Amino acid sequence: MGDSAYLKKYVEDHPNNKMAWYLLGKEYEASGQEGKAHYCYIQAGNIYEAFEASKMPSPEEVLPGYEAGLAKEKHRRQKRSGFLRKLGLALLLLLLIQIPSAHAPGEQRVVQTPLAPQKVETPTDEPETVVDSPEMDKPIAPPVAIRGPVFTAAGYGGGSEKRQQAGLSSLLALRQQIGASLPYAVVLGMEPLEDYLVWTKNMPVVVALEEDAGSGQTTLQSYDREACLCTPPDSSELQAAAAAWIPEQESLGVLRSAMLHYKQAKGQWPESLETLAGSYPNNWIAGTDEVMEQAFKPLLAQLGRSPSVKGDAVADEGASAILASGMAPGQPPYFSEPLEIIVDTDNYKLAVISGDKLIRSYTVGLGGERTPEGTYAISEKVVNPNGRDNGEFGSRGMQLSDTNYAIHGTNEPDSIGKDESLGCIRMTRKDVEELFDLVTKGTKVTIGKGILPTLESVPKERFTLGHRQDQTNPHRTYRWLD
């Protein structure tokens, strides 16, 4: 994570959060501070054992490593005295003796038994400092009543240790986002590719966390055989639930983008879903679905924290509403940034992204040097340009910033992947129709060279909206530079 200061503050405020202790230990270990790392791993207890595939060491086993760590830190900092080293060692051994035994990793899940709030020693730049946090006396908030698992997704690549940290970090971030305990939280893994994380329909379940409010037990399960060196349980039920969560997050990403673009253009939030799904030219979105119908009002409450919305019934409803399956009450959509389009003229790729999440990547036809570089926005969306679905512009067209350039279909599919247009961006019929549903009016479009990885990421089941309105424009003849 590269943020030990944040983690130190977090464990001060949440001394019983063993995942945080584990992550802080990994930070110290990466920086060569093995003494501090050992201390954190002891606090992490069963979480350490689950992800390191070994029991916590006994006092006799940890003593040589701890002394070696102290020697390294003395050489680096030259601030520690012999008396404080002995005192720290004595405290460490005392803590080791008091730690309860845990289940060995393997096919069984590792159960963490929470400790009662107590004064804890928190590693800082001077490890002898003892912190007594006032937050320790505060009661723990009861868990939110949620049916089924709550999902998130995270970059999951590199070595096993890096993957372990990524899974734990995303669980910690999800709990912070919700602001409450989650009975069941599940992380899906996205493959890192250059500057992006690849979003797909079949992202694997990589780690899950269950919290039992009645017993106070926490169950952490890795589903990555290589990372945990264990035989994970069957994840088919979780994968089935994830298969519903993934397209629903795409719908929410489209809806959220449309609402933000509408607000930017009109100076106010849309009054209803129908406001966004109007007939041409008011077709901010290409249609609607059940997810959008359920989520519009609570999402408006989440976004509209302004005098025009705050305090009314809509805001009250949105405070506790669940936008879609696999989400917690009040949880925002996974795609926190508006969807954008990136076009790379070097490798003939067009991608849909949200921040560093690469949602789709298509092969397109271009016009060589006639395709302009720069930043645009989709100013118009039209079905069947010039009244035809098989003409030179295909079945869909998306104009770029009121120019003569557009992203559109083509009646020359062999031109895809080549420089045969007069400057526009050509797509196959299936690709352009899916893109038309994914992106809204106002979507940012960036065209440049060498700005996308060479990847084609198109699912077998395309994103498609229903309840379509009339989006044709029979009163205009388009003369884009095809």
Side-chain angles (χ1 to χ4, degrees):
M1 292 178 63
D3 192 0
S4 57
Y6 167 79
L7 284 171
K8 285 191 289 186
K9 180 63 170 65
Y10 189 87
V11 296
E12 289 177 17
D13 296 338
H14 305 84
N16 292 325
N17 190 307
K18 297 193 175 185
M19 286 191 298
W21 281 111
Y22 176 79
L23 292 173
L24 182 57
K26 301 305 289 185
E27 289 287 336
Y28 282 132
E29 183 177 5
S31 64
Q33 301 180 66
E34 297 182 5
K36 291 183 181 181
H38 278 306
Y39 175 85
C40 293
Y41 292 152
I42 291 167
Q43 297 297 326
N46 308 31
I47 300 300
Y48 173 89
E49 294 171 10
F51 280 85
E52 300 293 333
S54 63
K55 297 287 289 183
M56 281 300 301
S58 66
E60 293 77 12
E61 293 171 329
V62 77
L63 180 57
Y66 186 76
E67 289 178 334
L70 290 177
K72 288 183 180 180
E73 291 184 42
K74 180 180 180 181
H75 179 71
R76 289 190 336 108
R77 299 177 180 267
Q78 296 183 350
K79 291 183 178 180
R80 299 182 183 178
S81 68
F83 172 77
L84 291 176
R85 277 204 310 277
K86 294 178 181 178
L87 177 60
L89 181 58
L91 291 174
L92 175 62
L93 294 176
L94 179 61
L95 287 169
L96 278 171
I97 293 171
Q98 292 177 342
I99 290 177
S101 61
H103 296 283
E107 295 189 9
Q108 300 299 319
R109 296 182 177 181
V110 179
V111 178
Q112 166 191 327
T113 303
L115 301 176
Q118 56 183 297
K119 182 182 290 187
V120 298
E121 180 181 355
T122 304
T124 63
D125 290 340
E126 296 299 326
E128 64 274 7
T129 302
V130 177
V131 178
D132 188 2
S133 173
E135 298 292 333
M136 294 158 51
D137 296 329
K138 291 185 178 181
I140 299 175
V144 181
I146 305 170
R147 293 182 179 179
V150 173
F151 287 92
T152 188
Y156 200 75
S160 60
E161 181 176 302
K162 187 175 182 181
R163 296 200 302 274
Q164 292 168 12
Q165 291 189 52
L168 288 173
S169 298
S170 57
L171 286 170
L172 189 60
L174 178 62
R175 183 167 180 176
Q176 285 183 288
Q177 182 188 58
I178 303 304
S181 297
L182 294 173
Y184 203 0
V186 180
V187 180
L188 306 180
M190 292 184 288
E191 178 186 356
L193 183 63
E194 296 183 12
D195 296 331
Y196 294 96
L197 302 174
V198 182
W199 171 274
T200 67
K201 296 285 189 180
N202 57 349
M203 295 178 291
V205 173
V206 295
V207 67
L209 181 73
E210 290 186 78
E211 299 183 21
D212 188 329
S215 65
Q217 292 183 333
T218 298
T219 305
L220 182 67
Q221 176 64 59
S222 172
Y223 290 86
D224 184 340
R225 182 186 300 269
E226 180 182 345
C228 72
L229 298 178
C230 66
T231 302
D234 180 36
S235 63
S236 57
E237 291 187 7
L238 288 177
Q239 289 290 169
W245 178 80
I246 290 169
E248 289 178 350
Q249 290 306 308
E250 294 173 356
S251 289
L252 292 176
V254 173
L255 177 59
R256 187 178 187 277
S257 296
M259 296 170 76
L260 291 171
H261 290 314
Y262 184 94
K263 174 67 163 59
Q264 184 178 20
K266 303 292 186 179
Q268 61 185 20
W269 296 106
E271 296 181 355
S272 65
L273 187 59
E274 290 70 26
T275 303
L276 298 175
S279 299
Y280 173 92
N282 298 313
N283 54 329
W284 292 83
I285 52 179
T288 61
D289 59 21
E290 293 182 358
V291 174
M292 293 181 175
E293 292 170 359
Q294 172 182 325
F296 179 81
K297 287 184 178 180
L299 183 54
L300 179 63
Q302 288 184 12
L303 292 173
R305 291 171 181 157
S306 63
S308 61
V309 176
K310 185 177 180 181
D312 62 14
V314 173
D316 294 339
E317 178 183 349
S320 59
I322 297 177
L323 299 184
S325 64
M327 300 183 71
Q331 182 182 3
Y334 177 76
F335 296 115
S336 59
E337 300 183 44
L339 306 190
E340 299 181 18
I341 292 175
I342 305 288
V343 179
D344 191 328
T345 58
D346 277 350
N347 60 16
Y348 303 94
K349 296 299 178 187
L350 181 152
V352 179
I353 68 166
S354 171
D356 64 346
K357 315 301 188 297
L358 194 153
I359 303 170
R360 295 287 192 280
S361 181
Y362 311 96
T363 301
V364 297
L366 301 170
E369 295 300 322
R370 293 171 293 189
T371 297
E373 296 184 20
T375 302
Y376 304 87
I378 293 179
S379 54
E380 180 178 4
K381 296 179 64 181
V382 62
V383 171
N384 298 339
N386 297 339
R388 300 173 58 189
D389 68 351
N390 59 354
E392 58 182 338
F393 301 131
S395 62
R396 302 287 189 273
M398 289 158 276
Q399 190 172 11
L400 304 183
S401 298
D402 297 318
T403 66
N404 288 329
Y405 298 97
I407 302 170
H408 57 71
T410 182
N411 57 3
E412 299 179 19
D414 291 342
S415 67
I416 301 301
K418 302 175 183 177
D419 289 319
E420 295 187 3
S421 80
L422 296 177
C424 286
I425 300 162
R426 298 178 177 181
M427 304 182 72
T428 66
R429 185 182 186 108
K430 288 185 177 180
D431 290 352
V432 77
E433 290 182 357
E434 181 180 42
L435 182 68
F436 192 87
D437 284 13
L438 275 172
V439 299
T440 71
K441 282 182 62 177
T443 296
K444 180 181 178 181
V445 180
T446 302
I447 304 174
K449 298 181 183 296
I451 55 178
L452 281 176
T454 303
L455 168 74
E456 187 162 357
S457 180
V458 182
K460 293 181 180 179
E461 295 183 9
R462 302 299 188 109
F463 179 83
T464 305
L465 293 172
H467 310 293
R468 295 182 178 278
Q469 66 275 28
D470 183 7
Q471 299 175 76
T472 61
N473 183 17
H475 306 296
R476 178 177 173 184
T477 299
Y478 293 92
R479 303 185 186 279
W480 295 321
L481 296 176
D482 180 58

